[in-house]
Amino acid sequence: IAVQQDDVYFGNVEVYYQELNYVLTGDFSEEAIIDLVYQGCNEKGFCYPPIKKQILLNKSTRGVSFN
């Protein structure tokens, strides 16, 4: 569950303290690429650089890989 927090640098943001699960639905082609960007911050407000990942979905092999 997200906690709303007013961040000094980013304004009003949703903060997740535990694991985050997200269900993605749609009509995907044989292959799909999902760009994922997330950032961690500590309790005192120091934020680490954003982390960028790509999730590659392959419908024909039912495979998932991460870059």
Side-chain angles (χ1 to χ4, degrees):
I1 297 175
V3 176
Q4 295 292 326
Q5 186 171 332
D6 188 22
D7 184 84
V8 175
Y9 303 102
F10 299 105
N12 192 26
V13 295
E14 292 181 345
V15 178
Y16 295 89
Y17 288 98
Q18 303 296 323
E19 180 179 293
L20 172 66
N21 292 305
Y22 188 82
V23 176
L24 184 65
T25 59
D27 185 21
F28 298 105
S29 62
E30 287 299 311
E31 293 185 359
I33 298 173
I34 300 171
D35 291 317
L36 177 67
V37 179
Y38 58 94
Q39 183 174 24
C41 299
N42 68 20
E43 291 289 327
K44 294 184 180 183
F46 176 81
C47 292
Y48 305 99
I51 297 170
K52 298 177 182 179
K53 301 272 184 177
Q54 276 193 336
I55 302 171
L56 309 171
L57 305 175
N58 188 314
K59 186 176 180 180
S60 62
T61 64
R62 298 181 185 251
V64 177
S65 59
F66 299 90
N67 288 336

